Amino acid sequence: MPATARPALPALVGGRGCLDFANTLGPRRPDPGMEPHDYTPSYRELTAWAVHAGLLTPVQQRRLAAVAEADPDAAAGVHQHAGRLREAIYQTFAALAHGQPAPPAALAMIQHAYLEALGHGHLGPAPAGLDWRWPDRGPLEQVLWPIARSAVDLAVSGQLARIKQCPGDEGQCGWLFLDTSKNATRRWCSMGTCGGRVKSQRQAARLRAARTPR
């Protein structure tokens, strides 16, 4: 992820909605004294991100925004819960990315959010036939339902070996992504940011070394 510019909405580099949600806080490995940037600091911005990620429709967002405006305290409570779910998702898949067991408490939180979501979904028409769908009118928690489903879908997908954590430059970044490359050789969250910077730094180092008298 960029070290300087902070876009209003982060790039979707995770390959799955749940990983992109975990990446709404970053860098995950900041320098000492550096605070990670939160791209979803309020409920309204959380729903805006969900539209950006394709997890909510604009119609759903507008209706949730109206509910949040009518009950800001409830919206703040859901936003706090979203932050806890985000950390549970991050802890789970960061551990798996390094071949470690997922923390039981994090798994329990994801499971609880998923079971909550199932009570509100229904099967309905989709471009490929049928899919799990959410109502256009739902409670404030609706923003979390597709995130929880994405996390469980990924957890049981058989693709856990392809979950990786971006090393960034000088050990920063830490964003998560699903490596869908043919040979599973992808290393960076994005070649346009972390990968490109590291390659540029290495090239500059080689040029400096070539100019150094021997």
Side-chain angles (χ1 to χ4, degrees):
M1 61 181 291
T4 53
R6 300 284 191 181
L9 293 170
L12 302 174
V13 299
R16 292 292 186 273
C18 59
L19 300 183
D20 284 321
F21 183 50
N23 295 343
T24 59
L25 185 71
R28 286 289 185 170
R29 296 167 170 170
D31 288 331
M34 176 183 176
E35 287 293 326
H37 179 74
D38 190 346
Y39 292 87
T40 57
S42 71
Y43 183 84
R44 178 178 291 275
E45 286 160 305
L46 173 62
T47 59
W49 171 83
V51 173
H52 170 62
L55 301 177
L56 284 181
T57 67
V59 170
Q60 290 168 331
Q61 182 199 17
R62 287 193 294 271
R63 288 173 174 166
L64 289 174
V67 176
E69 185 174 355
D71 194 346
D73 289 341
V78 172
H79 179 256
Q80 290 175 356
H81 179 56
R84 293 190 292 270
L85 178 60
R86 178 173 63 183
E87 291 314 294
I89 291 171
Y90 172 75
Q91 291 168 16
T92 294
F93 292 110
L96 294 171
H98 295 283
Q100 300 171 356
L107 287 177
M109 177 166 284
I110 293 171
Q111 177 178 308
H112 183 270
Y114 178 67
L115 294 176
E116 174 77 15
L118 287 182
H120 298 274
H122 66 276
L123 284 174
L130 293 173
D131 197 2
W132 202 250
R133 301 174 65 85
W134 315 110
D136 284 337
R137 295 180 182 274
L140 292 166
E141 291 83 0
Q142 180 174 359
V143 67
L144 304 179
W145 300 342
I147 296 171
R149 182 198 172 184
S150 172
V152 172
D153 284 351
L154 179 57
V156 300
S157 68
Q159 295 181 298
L160 297 183
R162 285 181 172 263
I163 297 172
K164 296 183 179 180
Q165 186 167 29
C166 179
D169 53 332
E170 299 181 354
Q172 294 182 11
C173 189
W175 275 4
L176 300 169
F177 63 92
L178 183 67
D179 182 0
T180 57
S181 64
K182 183 177 180 180
N183 298 317
T185 56
R186 178 178 163 192
R187 185 178 180 191
W188 315 103
C189 66
S190 170
M191 282 304 301
T193 52
C194 289
R197 284 200 308 273
V198 171
K199 289 185 68 174
S200 296
Q201 291 165 0
R202 289 174 179 172
Q203 178 66 14
R206 285 194 292 268
L207 291 174
R208 287 195 299 271
R211 291 194 297 265
T212 302
R214 297 183 181 274

